[in-house]
C-alpha cells in the first residue's frame, strides 16, 4: 500500500522529503541556499588524468632549442692548445683527353693518380694570424708508384717530415718553415684557401669567397674560384655545423708563369660539403670535387698538312679530408 500526504512521499516503506523542504535544508555556515540539488559528476582519480605539465615542459625545451639554433653562430678554426689531431687525406686526379677527327671523337686516353696522406697535427700556440701547429707526416701512399719512380721519391721526401703550419680562423692554411716552394707538402696542405665567413651566420644563410687553387696538370698555373657557401644546419646541440659549397673556376694569368698557348681555355665547377666540430675548433670532414675542362689547340701544322684538331681535356679532382682528436 502506497500512502501520500503533504509532508512527504512514502514509496516502498521509505519516506523522502519534498523538494521544497530539501531545498530549504541546504545551508552553509548559516546562509540558506534555495538551489536545487544537482547530480554530482565524479572526476577520474588523479593518477588517470593527462599529465599536462611534462608536455608543456617538453614544448618549452623544443621551443628554446629551436630558438637557440636559429641564432647566428661564429664558425672558426681554433683548436685547443695541446690537442693532437690525426688527419687522413685522400685525393684522386682523373685526366681524360679526346680529339675530334673527321667529325668523330677519338678514343679517349686517360690517366688516374691518387695519394693518401696520414698526418698528426699538434696545436702549439695562438697568434694574431691564427694557430701555429706542428704537422708530422706519418705515411704516404701514391698510385701509381714503383721503386725509383718520381712518385716514390716524393713519398719518401714527405714521410716523417715535420713542418709548422699556421691555420687562420677562417680556414686558410700556410706553411711557415718549409724553404722548398715546390715541396709536395706545401702543394697539398699549404695552399688551402679561406672558406669560412668572418661574421656570425644563421642556418640557411650564405656567403661568398674568392679563392685561388693550383691547376693540376698545368704546372705554375692557378685557378680563380668563386664559391658560395651555405650553413645548412646545426647538429648535436649546435656543436656540429654542416656546410655546403658550390662554385665556378677559371684560369688565372699569374705574373712570371708561362702564358697559355693559343687556343688554350680553362673552366670548371666546384662542389662539396664541410663539417665543423665547434667544440673541437676544427674541420672534421671535408669532401670536394673539382671538374676542370680545358681546350688545347693543336700545334701549327707543317706546310701543306691539315691542321690538327684541338684536344679536349677533362680533369676531375676528388678530395676527402677526415680528422679526429687523439684521446
Amino acid at each position: 500500500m502506497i500512502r501520500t500526504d503533504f509532508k512527504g512521499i512514502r514509496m516502498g516503506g521509505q519516506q523522502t522529503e519534498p523538494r521544497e523542504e530539501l531545498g530549504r535544508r541546504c545551508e552553509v555556515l548559516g546562509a540558506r541556499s534555495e538551489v536545487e540539488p544537482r547530480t554530482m559528476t565524479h572526476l577520474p582519480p588523479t593518477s588517470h588524468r593527462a599529465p599536462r605539465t611534462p608536455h608543456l615542459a617538453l614544448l618549452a625545451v623544443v621551443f628554446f632549442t629551436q630558438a637557440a639554433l636559429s641564432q647566428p653562430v661564429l664558425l672558426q678554426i681554433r683548436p685547443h692548445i695541446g690537442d693532437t689531431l690525426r688527419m687522413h687525406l685522400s685525393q684522386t686526379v682523373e685526366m681524360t683527353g679526346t680529339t675530334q677527327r673527321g667529325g668523330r671523337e677519338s678514343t679517349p686516353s686517360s690517366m688516374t693518380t691518387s695519394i693518401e696522406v696520414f698526418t698528426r697535427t699538434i696545436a702549439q700556440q695562438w697568434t694574431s694570424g691564427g694557430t701555429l701547429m706542428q704537422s708530422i707526416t706519418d705515411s704516404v701512399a701514391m698510385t701509381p708508384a714503383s721503386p725509383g719512380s718520381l712518385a716514390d721519391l716524393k713519398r719518401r721526401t714527405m714521410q716523417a717530415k715535420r713542418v709548422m703550419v699556421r691555420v687562420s680562423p677562417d680556414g686558410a692554411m700556410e706553411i711557415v718553415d718549409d724553404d722548398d716552394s715546390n715541396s709536395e707538402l706545401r702543394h697539398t696542405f699549404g695552399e688551402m684557401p679561406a672558406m669560412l665567413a668572418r661574421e656570425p651566420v644563421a642556418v640557411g644563410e650564405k656567403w661568398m669567397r674568392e679563392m685561388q687553387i693550383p691547376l693540376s696538370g698545368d704546372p705554375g698555373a692557378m685557378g680563380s674560384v668563386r664559391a658560395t657557401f651555405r650553413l645548412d644546419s646545426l647538429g648535436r646541440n649546435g656543436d656540429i655545423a654542416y656546410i655546403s659549397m658550390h662554385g665556378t673556376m677559371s684560369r688565372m694569368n699569374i705574373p712570371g708563369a708561362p702564358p697559355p698557348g693559343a687556343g688554350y681555355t680553362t673552366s670548371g665547377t666546384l662542389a662539396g660539403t664541410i663539417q665543423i666540430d665547434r667544440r673541437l675548433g676544427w674541420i672534421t670532414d671535408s669532401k670536394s670535387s673539382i671538374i676542370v675542362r680545358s681546350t688545347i689547340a693543336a700545334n701549327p701544322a707543317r706546310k701543306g698538312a691539315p691542321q690538327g684538331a684541338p684536344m679536349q681535356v677533362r680533369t676531375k679532382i676528388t678530395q676527402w679530408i677526415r680528422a679526429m682528436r687523439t684521446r
Side-chain angles (χ1 to χ4, degrees):
M1 177 178 180
I2 303 175
R3 179 182 176 183
T4 63
D5 54 25
F6 293 103
K7 296 294 182 179
I9 302 175
R10 183 180 300 275
M11 301 183 62
Q14 298 181 355
Q15 183 176 354
T16 61
E17 295 181 347
R19 295 180 61 184
E20 294 84 359
E21 293 293 334
L22 184 60
R24 281 191 291 268
R25 288 178 177 270
C26 294
E27 298 182 2
V28 179
L29 298 178
R32 300 181 62 186
S33 172
E34 302 297 333
V35 179
E36 298 183 1
R38 300 177 182 175
T39 304
M40 296 295 294
T41 301
H42 296 284
L43 294 176
T46 304
S47 59
H48 296 290
R49 296 179 185 176
R52 298 181 180 179
T53 302
H55 288 177
L56 294 176
L58 179 60
L59 290 176
V61 170
V62 172
F63 173 79
F64 286 115
T65 300
Q66 291 179 345
L69 294 181
S70 64
Q71 297 298 318
V73 295
L74 185 60
L75 304 175
Q76 284 191 330
I77 305 302
R78 192 177 176 86
H80 302 281
I81 301 302
D83 277 359
T84 298
L85 304 168
R86 290 193 177 274
M87 300 177 60
H88 178 195
L89 165 70
S90 302
Q91 179 176 288
T92 301
V93 179
E94 306 171 59
M95 298 184 66
T96 304
T98 59
T99 56
Q100 294 284 340
R101 296 183 182 277
R104 294 183 179 182
E105 192 174 88
S106 65
T107 302
S109 57
S110 61
M111 178 181 67
T112 300
T113 59
S114 62
I115 182 173
E116 277 196 295
V117 184
F118 292 87
T119 62
R120 285 171 291 148
T121 305
I122 306 168
Q124 294 190 339
Q125 181 184 354
W126 284 331
T127 67
S128 58
T131 307
L132 285 178
M133 310 184 71
Q134 184 184 54
S135 180
I136 305 168
T137 304
D138 292 325
S139 64
V140 180
M142 293 185 173
T143 305
S146 59
S149 67
L150 178 61
D152 189 65
L153 179 60
K154 288 182 177 181
R155 180 187 65 80
R156 292 176 182 274
T157 302
M158 291 175 62
Q159 192 161 311
K161 188 171 184 178
R162 297 169 180 253
V163 297
M164 292 299 296
V165 181
R166 181 184 293 111
V167 184
S168 65
D170 57 13
M173 291 189 179
E174 175 190 9
I175 293 182
V176 296
D177 68 346
D178 189 359
D179 296 331
D180 184 3
S181 60
N182 296 318
S183 72
E184 194 72 14
L185 273 175
R186 180 179 292 275
H187 179 76
T188 303
F189 294 106
E191 297 171 347
M192 298 188 70
M195 298 177 291
L196 304 181
R198 294 187 176 94
E199 302 295 332
V201 293
V203 173
E205 193 171 347
K206 299 179 180 180
W207 64 95
M208 298 186 65
R209 299 303 298 262
E210 293 187 0
M211 307 174 288
Q212 296 181 10
I213 61 173
L215 293 179
S216 180
D218 190 0
M222 297 291 292
S224 175
V225 177
R226 185 178 179 85
T228 299
F229 296 83
R230 182 181 185 273
L231 177 58
D232 293 331
S233 63
L234 293 171
R236 203 186 299 171
N237 297 325
D239 291 343
I240 306 297
Y242 298 91
I243 302 170
S244 59
M245 58 179 174
H246 301 275
T248 58
M249 192 203 70
S250 59
R251 192 182 194 277
M252 295 180 59
N253 294 322
I254 305 298
Y264 187 98
T265 61
T266 301
S267 63
T269 58
L270 166 71
T273 58
I274 300 172
Q275 292 182 23
I276 299 178
D277 188 324
R278 298 179 61 220
R279 283 186 178 273
L280 186 61
W282 197 257
I283 297 175
T284 54
D285 192 287
S286 174
K287 297 178 181 178
S288 62
S289 177
I290 303 174
I291 298 178
V292 181
R293 292 180 173 85
S294 304
T295 301
I296 305 175
N299 294 327
R302 294 180 179 180
K303 187 176 181 180
Q307 177 65 36
M311 175 178 288
Q312 307 291 331
V313 179
R314 179 183 183 272
T315 304
K316 181 179 181 181
I317 306 171
T318 305
Q319 189 178 84
W320 185 14
I321 302 177
R322 290 151 284 178
M324 62 179 295
R325 183 175 64 180
T326 302
R327 299 290 180 180

